Amino acid sequence: MSVRERVSQAPVRRPGRRLHFPRPLDAVASFKFKTAVVVGGALLTSSVSFWITAQLAFRYALLVALVVALVVTWVLAHGMTSPLREMTGAVRRMSDGDYTTRVRATSKDEIGTLATAFNQMAEDLSHEDRYRREVVGNVAHELRTPVAALHAVLENLVDGVRTPDQDTLESALTQTDRLGRLITDLLDLSRVEGGAVRLDHDPIEVQRFAADAVAQCRLRLRRQNGRATDVGFSIGIPAALVVEADEDRLHQVLANLLDNAARHSPPGGVVHVHAHADGDSVVLEVADQGPGVEPAERQRIFERFTRGGSRDGGTGLGLAIAQWVVHLHRGEIAVVDDPQGCRIRVRLPAYAAH
């Protein structure tokens, strides 16, 4: 079970679960007209009650008319203003960190519209609060493993249990690299989700761009493994394909896809990078020969800190960042069927010469 699934979620307090005072004027679509109805209803009922009481006991007619007017006004006005009272109570609970309360939004007037907007705001705040708690828990969980491993290596060196040989230093370097990747991914995700990413749209030759990304991926794998990688790469992209995108951000997407594919490929496996034109779009695909992704997990792997069951040292943020960047380019990214392994398809707008 993922950390996201383990986060406790308090049940939302829906207004329909308890008895409510009647709202006779909910069907009226204007608050001003409701006010006129309240005044008119009070005058009408008080006049009728005054006339009836005057026939029986004239001395009490005015008193009865006043009482009837007050009762009618109170009943109608209470129903009109009850959403405001519910929102006031909900705001007070929100100030204490409780975002589960929802107000009854059955009125058709401006207050009903406000109540609907309030419920949507409460839902958004609840999601943000839950996301914040998840991120804090996930980051703490992700940082704990490399920090503990690095601490163990350094502790062994200090105690003299291990000598600072090549293997020990490479182990420490691997953990610091993992920490660096996690911090970089967190900063990138924060910028993307916060809307602080500015895109510079330029024409990009996909063939040249993919070749550069594959070459850099080979260098990263060689540095991490200390030797040449045993995973091969195959590029099949026509020379005429051009997309309009931010090259640095698009490189971020392709680098994440290549790194994931290389980590999941078996020894001797090949990562295929293909692209083709499709109308006014360019379709870029990265496929590996690994175990693939189950259909039920294909959407979840783009969520933060989700690795699809993998424990290969990734941060669980790469595909989430890739999805955000692709969406910023008005594109699409998805896992598609492939009997050989996992195939991720990215669709981006093609470059249109102006």
Side-chain angles (χ1 to χ4, degrees):
M1 181 180 293
S2 66
V3 175
R4 176 183 294 270
E5 294 168 340
R6 291 197 300 266
V7 173
S8 60
Q9 300 181 10
V12 174
R13 298 177 184 173
R14 301 289 179 184
R17 295 180 180 176
R18 62 179 185 271
L19 294 177
H20 293 279
F21 196 88
R23 298 180 182 177
L25 301 180
D26 269 0
V28 180
S30 170
F31 186 79
K32 290 185 291 185
F33 187 71
K34 279 185 178 182
T35 305
V37 170
V38 171
V39 175
L43 290 174
L44 177 62
T45 54
S46 62
S47 298
V48 171
S49 62
F50 180 85
W51 181 81
I52 294 175
T53 308
Q55 306 301 316
L56 302 175
F58 183 80
R59 70 175 65 181
Y60 300 112
L62 181 60
L63 177 61
V64 171
L66 290 175
V67 170
V68 170
L70 288 174
V71 170
V72 171
T73 303
W74 184 86
V75 171
L76 296 178
H78 186 277
M80 291 170 55
T81 59
S82 60
L84 298 177
R85 289 190 297 276
E86 291 180 8
M87 281 186 273
T88 301
V91 168
R92 288 171 179 166
R93 283 187 286 272
M94 283 183 182
S95 65
D96 295 328
D98 180 8
Y99 300 98
T100 61
T101 304
R102 302 292 182 266
V103 301
R104 182 183 171 196
T106 57
S107 178
K108 304 298 183 182
D109 64 349
E110 296 84 351
I111 294 182
T113 304
L114 177 62
T116 301
F118 179 88
N119 285 339
Q120 183 60 53
M121 181 195 69
E123 191 75 20
D124 294 340
L125 289 174
S126 177
H127 289 163
E128 289 298 322
D129 182 67
R130 187 158 57 247
Y131 167 64
R132 177 182 59 82
R133 294 174 186 274
E134 289 176 356
V135 166
V136 171
N138 283 322
V139 169
H141 174 77
E142 294 296 328
L143 288 174
R144 185 183 299 116
T145 300
V147 168
L150 185 60
H151 180 270
V153 171
L154 295 177
E155 189 176 39
N156 289 337
L157 290 175
V158 172
D159 294 341
V161 177
R162 298 184 65 177
T163 58
D165 54 18
Q166 186 69 19
D167 292 339
T168 303
L169 295 178
E170 285 182 357
S171 176
L173 182 61
T174 299
Q175 299 305 325
T176 55
D177 284 342
R178 184 176 177 184
L179 280 172
R181 289 198 307 273
L182 177 60
I183 293 171
T184 300
D185 286 347
L186 286 170
L187 290 174
D188 288 337
L189 187 64
S190 175
R191 294 191 190 101
V192 171
E193 291 190 336
V197 175
R198 187 170 78 71
L199 300 180
D200 296 321
H201 291 277
D202 296 307
I204 301 173
E205 297 178 2
V206 181
Q207 187 185 67
R208 185 268 310 166
F209 175 77
D212 292 343
V214 167
Q216 293 181 32
C217 182
R218 283 197 178 102
L219 288 176
R220 286 194 301 273
L221 294 173
R222 185 179 298 114
R223 187 177 69 249
Q224 292 170 11
N225 299 331
R227 54 182 173 79
T229 178
D230 53 3
V231 176
F233 293 86
S234 170
I235 302 177
I237 300 176
L241 283 184
V242 180
V243 296
E244 185 173 5
D246 186 299
E247 185 164 356
D248 291 337
R249 292 300 168 186
L250 190 58
H251 174 80
Q252 204 172 11
V253 174
L254 188 53
N256 277 320
L257 298 183
L258 291 173
D259 288 343
N260 283 341
R263 284 201 304 269
H264 289 88
S265 292
V270 178
V271 175
H272 299 277
V273 184
H274 296 283
H276 64 273
D278 184 13
D280 57 355
S281 302
V282 171
V283 176
L284 176 65
E285 296 182 339
V286 177
D288 60 48
Q289 297 175 334
V293 181
E294 294 294 330
E297 295 290 320
R298 289 182 180 177
Q299 186 58 40
R300 289 191 66 253
I301 67 170
F302 295 104
E303 296 178 1
R304 311 164 192 87
F305 299 102
T306 299
R307 302 197 188 104
S310 173
R311 293 293 181 267
D312 51 18
T315 64
L317 290 172
L319 289 179
I321 295 172
Q323 184 183 55
W324 274 93
V325 173
V326 170
H327 287 173
L328 285 174
H329 285 85
R330 304 184 308 280
E332 300 174 358
I333 183 171
V335 180
V336 297
D337 292 329
D338 190 333
Q340 303 296 323
C342 175
R343 179 181 297 269
I344 296 183
R345 176 177 296 164
V346 177
R347 183 182 297 271
L348 295 168
Y351 174 70
H354 301 293

